[in-house]
């Protein structure tokens, strides 16, 4: 499943991008496409706050507040490919920033040829990233194969004879064990409890007096006696 979100004021740009992206997705062995488009930034942020995941976002930088929205988007969706739609008169200093990290630019005025060339390159980058086993966690749930970038996983929890993968906005359940799962995870994941493995990228504090790891979003994950030495060793290595 490929998820594309477009936010641009001109309706003809939204329609053109949808035609181009649907054609490119269909050409790539019938890739399923989840499409969402809107004209205004508040609607975009509302959508992304509820989203389970996002692969590509096309953002109109002519709207007031677009830079701040792009920065918030990048902070939350680290793996997303961000395509900026910009006026030729807009200084690159406004949008070429490490806090935005755009994957591509589309300069106005746009035609569908420009859109097709840019989006073809972006979707190629997305497919290459998706195919890299080291960047995504692949699992089966509900008869479907799911892929979640490691950078979007807060933690794994074992309960009720299943493993639950938690992102900021959703939880997925699948059958596995934490013992087997540990061998599939890259560096940056730490087991802190018989029922929890956390992504240290989201760590905001270690509270050993309360035996918790505090993650983004006011999430407290327990630390058990068995795994407390491993947490202490990790903490000491960061000093």
């Amino acid at each position: 499943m490929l998820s594309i979100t477009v936010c641009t004021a001109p309706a003809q740009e939204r329609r053109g991008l949808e035609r181009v992206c649907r054609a490119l997705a269909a050409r790539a062995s019938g890739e399923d496409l989840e499409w969402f488009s809107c004209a205004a930034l508040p609607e975009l942020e509302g959508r992304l706050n509820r989203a389970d995941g996002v692969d590509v976002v096309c953002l109109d930088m002519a709207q007031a507040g677009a830079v701040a929205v792009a920065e918030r988007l990048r902070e939350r969706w680290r793996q997303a490919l961000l395509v900026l739609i910009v006026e030729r008169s807009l200084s690159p200093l406004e949008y070429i920033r490490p806090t935005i990290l755009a994957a591509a630019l589309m300069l106005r005025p746009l035609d569908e040829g420009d859109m097709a060339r840019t989006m073809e390159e972006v979707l190629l980058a997305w497919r290459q990233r998706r195919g890299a086993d080291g960047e995504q966690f692949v699992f089966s749930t509900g008869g479907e194969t799911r892929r979640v970038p490691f950078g979007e996983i807060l933690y794994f929890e074992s309960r009720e004879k299943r493993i639950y993968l938690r992102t900021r906005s959703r939880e997925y359940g699948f059958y596995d064990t934490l013992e087997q799962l540990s061998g599939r995870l890259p560096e940056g994941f730490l087991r802190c409890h018989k029922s929890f493995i956390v992504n240290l990228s989201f760590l905001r504090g270690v509270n050993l007096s309360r035996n918790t790891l505090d993650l983004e979003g006011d999430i407290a994950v327990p630390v058990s006696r068995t795994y407390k030495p491993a947490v202490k060793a990790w903490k000491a290595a960061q000093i």
Side-chain angles (χ1 to χ4, degrees), residues 68-94:
V69 169
E71 290 176 330
R72 288 194 292 271
L73 188 157
R74 173 56 62 222
E75 181 179 5
R76 176 164 185 178
W77 300 107
R78 303 175 189 180
Q79 303 294 320
L81 294 170
L82 182 54
V83 181
L84 305 183
I85 303 171
V86 300
E87 304 287 348
R88 294 178 186 273
S89 59
L90 183 64
S91 169
L93 296 176
E94 294 293 322

Side-chain angles (χ1 to χ4, degrees), residues 9 20 29 46 51 65 71 73 76 82-83 88 91 94 111 116 123 126 138 151 166 177 189 237:
V20 162
S29 304
E71 290 176 330
L73 188 157
R76 176 164 185 178
L82 182 54
V83 181
R88 294 178 186 273
S91 169
E94 294 293 322
D111 61 36
L123 297 190
W126 173 77
V138 182
R166 178 71 185 185
T177 66
F189 284 82

Side-chain angles (χ1 to χ4, degrees), residues 130-142:
R130 184 184 64 170
D133 293 337
E135 294 189 6
Q136 294 193 327
F137 181 72
V138 182
F139 61 101
S140 296
T141 182

